[in-house]
Amino acid sequence: MHVHQPTSPVIPDPSLSRPVQTVDHSPKLFHSLHQEHSSVLSLAADDDHIYTGSQDGQISVWNKATFKLITVLRGHTGSVLALEYAPDKHWLFSASGDSTIRVWNTRSHTPLYLLHPHLETDSGDLFSLTWCAPLQAIYFGCQNTSLQWFAFSIPTLEHAAFGTARPADGVIHSGTSTPTSTSTSRKAHKFFDSYPQYTRRPADLDARNPTCASSMPTSVSLTLPMTGFGGLTTPPADGCVGGARVRAPLATLQVPPESVVFSAHYGYVYCMALLPSNKEGSDDPSYEDAPGDGLQLVTGSGDSTVKLWQLPLDQSLDAAPQLLHTFDCGVGAVLALTVRGDTVFAGCQDGLVKVWDLETRTLVRTLLVVENVDILSMSMLHSDLYVCSANGDIQRWSASFDLVGSWAGHEGIILSSVITHLPPPDPALDQGSEKFTLVTGGNDDMIKVWEVAPPATNRRSLSELGRFGGTTDISKSINDILVYALTKFVAIPSVSNSPVNKEDCRQAAIWLRKCFTQLGAEASLLPTGETTNPLVLATFHGTRTSQHRPRILFYGHYDVISARSGGWTSDPFTLTGRNGYLYGRGATDNKGPVMAVACAAADLLARRALGVDLVMLIEGEEEAGSGGFAGTVKRNKDAIGPVDSILVSNSTWIAEDTPCITYGLRGVVHCNVEISNDGPDLHSGVDGGSAREPMLDMVKLLGTLTGEANRIAIPNFYDRVRPLTEEEKQWYKVLSSVTQTPASLLAARWREPSLTVHNVEVSGQRNSTVIPSKVKAHISVRIVPDQDLGSIAASVQQHLKDEFHRMGSPNKLTVTIDQTADWWLGNLDDPWFHALENAVKDEWGVDPLRIREGGSIPSVPYLEKEFSCHALHLPLGQSTDQAHLADERISLSNLRRGKRVVERFLANVASTPSPSPIQPPAT
């Protein structure tokens, strides 16, 4: 039999965002600025200027109207790692690798304050800054894992001494203030302010190391404007000794010990953001107008976590931030943060953006930006997210998590970005319309100014939008993802019983894990053995603020059977839409239902409506006997967690138009029978009649398995078959009228045992003249409630051995049990069964038919026993879906409405009491 086994294609891109036309969706490059010989590590902007922090410790100030460099702010002796503009103060904060924060007046571009962190240089690099105007405080994250802050307010500056007159726009409330001088702006650090060892000089502030401005070539230093600072001299010939003098700040400040959260993270505090957002381009309401929890701070760290902190209600309360929650991103360092409403976007290593909902404490989605490429900066313009990657690319994502723009921004790593507006060309003609720009900086020494615009949709209230997009938009987007993801999923020929497709099965598991991750789940692979395919385990966590969340285990499989070359109208591994159906191997069995359930959970997550934990357990060996499944589940039971109910979707309706719920499956015993002799194959014309032929023995032996009316002749076989009740008879009458199939035939298919001889194989050339010396037959026995699986398997073997012994044949008999699966019968009185029935009825407008299946799914009864809970079976496909046959398909309507049924079911069970666990049978 020839089977369609394509050369394995390139594994599809794991991203669930459809490709965009980059030319059409790239913004206009409005202007480019070149920062000589220094990477652009940080950016900020006010109404008139763009500020760029550099690796050489300087801050360049560019005029927004002319894009000319107007001055350079100097004072740091380390890289300028973060910049923050305080519009209410007209201050610019700069944090540096020299363990200081400097405060600059943005009107005069002169230094105001020099702020030392607690423990000074022992705090290490200062990576992140955010200004909180309501509290008049600057918060910053440190290399030593601490979170520190300093509060500025008017009342207590009466004690402070300044080198010049007291400024009118701010004074010190916490910490200490000392008069400044030209020689003691900070203490010397024994390492960072050290000289080469051969000089034998102690560390002092005159030491100029290569991270400071004096490391620039003299020709470059001499060409920079000198406006805004005085007394600058050309660096001397000895690059380690600094002769430059910069204007001293008005006061030197110190963070007091009580303004520190030590070990705020278990890694460097790389990024932070204030809620509600205070960034330009944000459409968050102001703090005064924002409902809810007041001021909050989020911080991101190299320990792979995002932490949510509650800030004091007002500046009169000099209180430390209180930790409210820790979000574990699980994918390496969190390098960038931005917020909108109650949604936090965390840019991580390896190209992932984790989207967290603060209200429900849940992971809403994971955006795969560029796989294995770090995300170093992000900015928000209303509901649009701009993501800047280490490969120089910039992407724009919409509120519904669609990739709507992508372009190459820099010829190097993009290190920083900021959203700001440009002044109108003619202020006299300005009619109030703002022109926004995205400013990006990279290690190519370039600053790029991109002309961007807010999304065209009308702004609605955050409560109506669910913080990051309307529910209609989100559901539409996820419906699109459902088909798009299924297209990629079907393209992987994950044929589990074919050695040729072994790697395809592994790649299908990897792709599925990444798919689930992007949809908002925590996902991993569980190995099942050296020769079997891994399980995919994914958990969609429901609202974490609820006291108790039911836990549903969905079981499915990503493997498929082979596709014969004949009979297919289109390529079986290319999902093809025709006349309302999607054709492709696995479309209905079982890739389509798996994607529908995952997208249902993603939809509920995005709408903050997932009130349960949905655990998805997807295996890759179902079509090949589920090898390694049971042992893997046992070993990983702690990772899977407790389960209240099991959901399966791995069968079809009994008709085209009426939805069904399956509540029963038959079990199966697969048995191999072999009869052989020790001699070779013989020629029937030479040796016919002289030897006892194994084939004749096999025919006689198989004939003993059934009697009249095909009734199975194994002794005591029917003793424990559950009798047909009157209620069942009425159900079968109803089903008979729907399917136009006799009720007796339906009962025979679903609730009565059966025996089948599947094939007989012979040794030799299989031509009409050979007497084979070995004959093999494969038989199966389907069992029903309340037959005992082990007893039936043993009785089949014993019957064959007894009958063969009676035949007195000199040949040899071997009987082996290949695979077994127990029968399964659902509990029709279970409250969650009723919740599923109601979900189907609410979606389709009719009562679903209660049906049984003649086939077997080994994992369903096993999972019931292992987790001591009931299973539910929701078929999505129609009776003509051709599962396992050519032109396998699923109705597009069934797929989408099946997703909505799952959503309704999960919502129903969120408010349904957990059913009682299944009691183990008495021994």
Side-chain angles (χ1 to χ4, degrees):
M1 176 183 67
H2 182 66
V3 175
H4 185 101
Q5 299 288 7
T7 301
S8 294
V10 176
I11 299 302
D13 186 328
S15 175
L16 298 184
S17 293
R18 285 157 294 176
V20 296
Q21 299 297 323
T22 55
V23 174
D24 297 338
H25 291 267
S26 297
K28 175 185 175 182
L29 179 59
F30 192 78
H31 212 92
S32 293
L33 307 173
H34 187 207
Q35 181 167 280
E36 293 285 346
H37 305 294
S38 186
S39 299
V40 183
L41 302 181
S42 52
L43 283 163
D46 61 19
D47 289 342
D48 301 310
H49 308 97
I50 296 172
Y51 302 92
T52 60
S54 65
Q55 191 173 6
D56 59 18
Q58 302 182 102
I59 303 168
S60 299
V61 184
W62 308 81
N63 185 286
K64 273 189 177 180
T66 64
F67 292 107
K68 294 292 186 180
L69 180 65
I70 61 171
T71 188
V72 175
L73 308 180
R74 289 180 175 157
H76 285 296
T77 58
S79 300
V80 181
L81 301 175
L83 291 172
E84 176 79 355
Y85 175 58
D88 58 315
K89 292 284 195 182
H90 300 286
W91 288 357
L92 177 71
F93 293 89
S94 58
S96 172
D98 63 9
S99 299
T100 66
I101 292 174
R102 291 180 178 264
V103 188
W104 312 85
N105 186 317
T106 59
R107 290 169 171 168
S108 62
H109 297 133
T110 55
L112 292 175
Y113 306 117
L114 174 64
L115 175 62
H116 289 293
H118 180 61
L119 300 179
E120 299 191 3
T121 53
D122 286 343
S123 293
D125 295 349
L126 309 184
F127 290 109
S128 51
L129 285 169
T130 193
W131 169 250
C132 180
L135 300 181
Q136 293 290 284
I138 186 72
Y139 291 84
F140 56 96
C142 307
Q143 186 177 13
N144 73 344
T145 75
S146 67
L147 169 63
Q148 302 190 28
W149 64 96
F150 190 91
F152 297 81
S153 64
I154 292 175
T156 58
L157 197 61
E158 305 301 330
H159 321 308
F162 288 83
T164 62
R166 178 168 65 88
D169 53 357
V171 294
I172 295 86
H173 169 66
S174 64
T176 59
S177 140
T178 59
T180 60
S181 69
T182 58
S183 61
T184 58
S185 62
R186 66 176 177 85
K187 297 178 182 178
H189 190 282
K190 63 183 179 181
F191 176 78
F192 294 108
D193 296 315
S194 63
Y195 292 89
Q197 189 173 8
Y198 69 85
T199 65
R200 299 182 180 277
R201 295 180 59 177
D204 60 45
L205 295 180
D206 288 328
R208 306 295 284 171
N209 287 302
T211 58
C212 64
S214 66
S215 65
M216 296 177 63
T218 303
S219 60
V220 176
S221 301
L222 292 176
T223 62
L224 293 175
M226 304 304 170
T227 307
F229 48 91
L232 181 69
T233 61
T234 304
D238 183 358
C240 288
V241 179
R245 292 292 184 269
V246 298
R247 179 173 296 179
L250 301 180
T252 300
L253 314 175
Q254 181 81 46
V255 173
E258 59 267 21
S259 294
V260 181
V261 176
F262 294 98
S263 300
H265 285 268
Y266 294 106
Y268 301 167
V269 185
Y270 284 122
C271 47
M272 60 175 56
L274 191 69
L275 292 111
S277 177
N278 58 353
K279 298 295 185 182
E280 190 173 0
S282 171
D283 57 355
D284 279 3
S286 65
Y287 167 61
E288 293 77 11
D289 299 330
D293 300 317
L295 289 167
Q296 295 178 327
L297 181 73
V298 286
T299 56
S301 170
D303 63 5
S304 190
T305 67
V306 173
K307 292 193 174 183
L308 175 65
W309 307 85
Q310 184 69 56
L311 300 184
L313 294 177
D314 58 64
Q315 57 185 328
S316 65
L317 301 174
D318 192 11
Q322 299 299 308
L323 180 62
L324 298 179
H325 194 76
T326 299
F327 302 94
D328 187 1
C329 293
V331 287
V334 178
L335 304 174
L337 281 174
T338 190
V339 299
R340 183 180 187 240
D342 283 344
T343 305
V344 174
F345 301 85
C348 306
Q349 287 181 306
D350 297 332
L352 299 179
V353 176
K354 297 284 186 174
V355 184
W356 297 97
D357 175 50
L358 299 184
E359 182 176 318
T360 60
R361 308 287 199 260
T362 53
L363 178 67
V364 173
R365 187 70 67 83
T366 299
L367 308 180
L368 178 55
V369 179
V370 181
E371 195 168 14
N372 299 320
V373 177
D374 295 349
I375 295 167
L376 300 177
S377 182
M378 299 188 299
S379 296
M380 294 291 302
L381 178 54
H382 292 192
S383 61
D384 279 353
L385 172 69
Y386 290 87
V387 183
C388 303
S389 300
N391 66 348
D393 286 352
I394 305 171
Q395 292 188 1
R396 179 163 65 96
W397 294 75
S398 71
S400 54
F401 311 122
D402 289 321
L403 177 62
V404 293
S406 180
W407 67 98
H410 287 256
E411 295 181 357
I413 300 172
I414 302 180
L415 298 166
S416 53
S417 66
V418 67
I419 294 286
T420 188
H421 69 277
L422 291 180
D426 187 350
L429 301 177
D430 180 36
Q431 299 179 352
S433 60
E434 289 184 298
K435 177 184 284 186
F436 284 102
T437 60
L438 170 70
V439 185
T440 57
N443 71 343
D444 55 1
D445 304 343
M446 296 297 295
I447 302 107
K448 302 284 186 75
V449 182
W450 308 91
E451 191 173 307
V452 295
T457 54
N458 292 328
R459 173 66 180 166
R460 290 169 284 175
S461 70
L462 284 175
S463 59
E464 180 184 354
L465 286 171
R467 281 9 184 226
F468 42 76
T471 57
T472 300
D473 295 336
I474 288 173
S475 294
K476 181 180 182 299
S477 172
I478 293 179
N479 273 331
D480 293 339
I481 288 175
L482 170 57
V483 177
Y484 183 62
L486 184 58
T487 300
K488 293 189 171 189
F489 199 10
V490 168
I492 308 174
S494 48
V495 182
S496 56
N497 57 9
S498 168
V500 174
N501 297 106
K502 180 69 175 176
E503 177 61 16
D504 293 308
C505 291
R506 190 178 73 89
Q507 291 297 334
I510 293 171
W511 181 91
L512 192 60
R513 175 185 61 79
K514 294 177 180 179
C515 171
F516 288 158
T517 298
Q518 292 173 80
L519 291 176
E522 294 180 2
S524 60
L525 299 184
L526 305 179
T528 61
E530 293 184 1
T531 61
T532 49
N533 299 316
L535 293 175
V536 182
L537 173 65
T539 302
F540 291 88
H541 291 284
T543 302
R544 302 202 182 202
T545 52
S546 61
Q547 293 296 319
H548 172 73
R549 297 189 307 275
R551 290 177 57 84
I552 311 294
L553 173 65
F554 174 80
Y555 164 81
H557 63 93
Y558 62 82
D559 64 318
V560 297
I561 69 162
S562 57
R564 297 180 182 180
S565 57
W568 285 89
T569 305
S570 54
D571 181 1
F573 296 105
T574 300
L575 192 69
T576 306
R578 294 194 304 272
N579 301 321
Y581 289 89
L582 301 175
Y583 289 82
R585 176 59 83 218
T588 195
D589 183 19
N590 186 232
K591 292 182 176 182
V594 167
M595 292 312 307
V597 172
C599 286
D603 202 332
L604 291 171
L605 266 181
R607 292 189 275 119
R608 296 179 171 178
L610 184 61
V612 305
D613 287 348
L614 178 66
V615 182
M616 299 190 70
L617 192 61
I618 315 299
E619 74 159 312
E621 292 284 341
E622 196 271 351
E623 302 290 6
S626 296
F629 177 80
T632 304
V633 170
K634 278 185 178 294
R635 287 193 302 273
N636 294 277
K637 212 169 174 184
D638 289 342
I640 297 169
V643 175
D644 294 310
S645 189
I646 299 159
L647 180 64
V648 182
S649 182
N650 196 20
S651 63
T652 59
W653 299 350
I654 59 170
E656 292 296 286
D657 304 318
T658 308
C660 304
I661 295 180
T662 302
Y663 71 93
L665 297 168
R666 294 194 294 188
V668 67
V669 175
H670 286 282
C671 181
N672 287 311
V673 184
E674 179 183 302
I675 300 177
S676 61
N677 59 38
D678 295 332
D681 295 337
L682 302 174
H683 191 290
S684 62
V686 177
D687 297 299
S690 64
R692 185 72 177 257
E693 298 182 12
M695 177 63 81
L696 294 177
D697 283 351
M698 181 65 78
V699 170
K700 292 177 183 178
L701 183 61
L702 296 180
T704 67
L705 291 171
T706 57
E708 296 180 0
N710 286 327
R711 189 171 176 82
I712 298 171
I714 297 173
N716 306 316
F717 184 82
Y718 291 93
D719 289 356
R720 297 186 60 181
V721 174
R722 189 179 298 184
L724 183 66
T725 65
E726 289 299 322
E727 185 179 17
E728 284 183 287
K729 290 179 182 178
Q730 296 305 314
W731 289 347
Y732 282 117
K733 287 182 181 179
V734 172
L735 296 175
S736 178
S737 65
V738 172
T739 62
Q740 301 301 309
T741 302
S744 60
L745 186 56
L746 293 175
R749 290 175 179 173
W750 297 346
R751 65 157 345 270
E752 294 178 8
S754 66
L755 185 146
T756 301
V757 178
H758 295 280
N759 55 63
V760 177
E761 299 178 359
V762 298
S763 58
Q765 298 300 313
R766 300 186 182 182
N767 61 46
S768 57
T769 63
V770 173
I771 301 174
S773 61
K774 182 185 297 182
V775 180
K776 294 180 180 179
H778 182 78
I779 65 174
S780 71
V781 177
R782 300 284 172 174
I783 64 172
V784 297
D786 292 300
Q787 291 179 301
D788 180 72
L789 178 63
S791 299
I792 294 297
S795 64
V796 170
Q797 289 181 294
Q798 192 60 48
H799 173 83
L800 290 170
K801 291 176 182 178
D802 290 345
E803 293 299 321
F804 187 76
H805 179 72
R806 290 192 187 96
M807 290 164 53
S809 173
N811 294 320
K812 182 170 62 177
L813 171 71
T814 302
V815 181
T816 57
I817 301 298
D818 187 19
Q819 298 170 18
T820 62
D822 213 344
W823 53 266
W824 167 73
L825 197 62
N827 180 3
L828 303 184
D829 296 323
D830 187 273
W832 287 11
F833 181 86
H834 294 301
L836 183 59
E837 274 194 321
N838 291 336
V840 175
K841 182 178 180 180
D842 291 343
E843 176 61 36
W844 290 95
V846 297
D847 288 319
L849 299 175
R850 297 178 174 184
I851 65 172
R852 290 167 69 166
E853 283 281 346
S856 307
I857 304 177
S859 301
V860 174
Y862 166 75
L863 290 172
E864 271 199 340
K865 294 173 183 176
E866 188 66 36
F867 290 98
S868 300
C869 62
H870 293 294
L872 305 164
H873 195 162
L874 173 69
L876 296 189
Q878 297 169 315
S879 59
T880 56
D881 275 0
Q882 300 280 97
H884 287 206
L885 304 176
D887 273 352
E888 180 181 345
R889 68 182 190 178
I890 192 168
S891 163
L892 183 58
S893 174
N894 275 44
L895 187 67
R896 287 175 172 166
R897 297 187 76 171
K899 166 185 165 287
R900 293 201 294 268
V901 168
V902 175
E903 290 177 36
R904 293 177 186 272
F905 167 68
L906 296 178
N908 288 346
V909 300
S911 57
T912 301
S914 298
S916 301
I918 296 176
Q919 298 300 321
T923 57

